[in-house]
Amino acid sequence: DDKILIAAVDCTGHGVPGAFMSIIGNNALNAAVREEGLTTPSLILDSLNRGVSSTLRHQSAETQQESAGIKDGMDIALVCIDYKNKQIQYSGAYNPLYIIRDGKLLETKGDKFPIGLALDDGLRLFTNHTFDLVEGDMLYIFSDGYPDQFGGPMGKKFKYDNFRSLLFEISDLSPRKQLKSVQQRFESWKGDLVQLDDVLLIGMKL
């Protein structure tokens, strides 16, 4: 129905637990959209949270593991671009949305709780944010891998201030040139240090 959904998802945990969480999250996202017919980002995240939390609770019971000991979950930024109604909708678990419009970077923060950890204190509902779609908007959703990378002359984190500045600087370039710029800057910053985390950055030119 003239809508596109884009998700940037970062699953916690490494190895088998991280892979398991990725499968759970992918299945739950597909179920929310394809089976329940949801397109509102906050409702999709609520459904995702229920599905992931239920699966983790079931896994916990099977392994006789205390639910409080389960620390796996996921952070996500989910955007719906509605071309028919000329709107952008966003909802997030920790991960924000950046919109660069008319020479300004607009940041909308996600809710400060992750997907999949609502096992004991009930499910909290996610917030939905709606914006008018403006031609020329540049949208970014991402994981924390880029700003958290250590490097530079002092071996410190890149940090979000530098990350926002970088995206603002390159936002007028074509998507292909932007990709090249963020890759080069990342490698230059990292230098000989080890990459600590997966890096995910999705840019959308409207």
Side-chain angles (χ1 to χ4, degrees):
D1 298 327
D2 296 318
K3 294 178 180 178
I4 297 175
L5 289 159
I6 308 101
V9 192
D10 188 13
C11 296
T12 60
H14 297 278
V16 173
F20 181 64
M21 181 59 61
S22 298
I23 294 171
I24 294 172
N26 187 59
N27 290 342
L29 272 175
N30 284 326
V33 176
R34 295 175 179 168
E35 296 174 20
E36 297 181 53
L38 301 175
T39 58
T40 302
S42 62
L43 299 182
I44 294 172
L45 294 197
D46 291 339
S47 175
L48 176 63
N49 202 14
R50 287 192 300 269
V52 171
S53 297
S54 175
T55 301
L56 291 181
R57 187 183 296 112
H58 180 70
Q59 180 198 25
S60 172
E62 283 189 342
T63 60
Q64 297 182 335
Q65 181 181 8
E66 291 294 328
S67 61
I70 296 178
K71 299 301 181 185
D72 292 325
M74 61 183 70
D75 301 336
I76 181 172
L78 178 63
V79 171
C80 175
I81 300 175
D82 184 346
Y83 286 103
K84 185 176 181 180
N85 296 305
K86 297 188 183 301
Q87 286 185 334
I88 301 163
Q89 294 189 55
Y90 153 79
S91 188
Y94 284 120
N95 292 353
L97 164 69
Y98 292 168
I99 300 177
I100 296 182
R101 172 187 295 174
D102 297 331
K104 295 181 180 179
L105 189 152
L106 311 174
E107 177 181 5
T108 303
K109 296 182 178 181
D111 292 297
K112 293 185 177 181
F113 52 92
I115 297 288
L117 289 183
L119 296 175
D120 300 317
D121 57 354
L123 290 169
R124 288 175 283 184
L125 300 179
F126 287 91
T127 306
N128 204 65
H129 305 269
T130 303
F131 314 89
D132 291 331
L133 188 158
V134 177
E135 186 175 353
D137 278 352
M138 191 71 211
L139 277 58
Y140 299 99
I141 52 178
F142 44 85
S143 69
D144 60 1
Y146 201 117
D148 281 354
Q149 176 61 44
F150 287 97
M154 304 297 291
K156 295 184 177 181
K157 285 186 178 182
F158 191 73
K159 295 187 178 179
Y160 281 92
D161 284 345
N162 290 327
F163 187 57
R164 283 189 289 267
S165 296
L166 171 61
L167 295 180
F168 186 79
E169 289 170 9
I170 66 173
S171 60
D172 287 336
L173 301 176
S174 68
R176 188 179 298 275
K177 289 183 178 178
Q178 289 190 49
L179 174 61
K180 186 175 181 179
S181 293
V182 295
Q183 288 176 328
Q184 289 177 340
R185 184 69 178 274
F186 183 82
E187 291 301 324
S188 174
W189 177 262
K190 180 172 70 70
D192 295 329
L193 297 181
V194 175
Q195 181 174 327
L196 296 180
D197 199 358
D198 297 327
V199 174
L200 175 59
L201 170 62
I202 301 174
M204 296 158 274
K205 184 81 168 181
L206 301 185

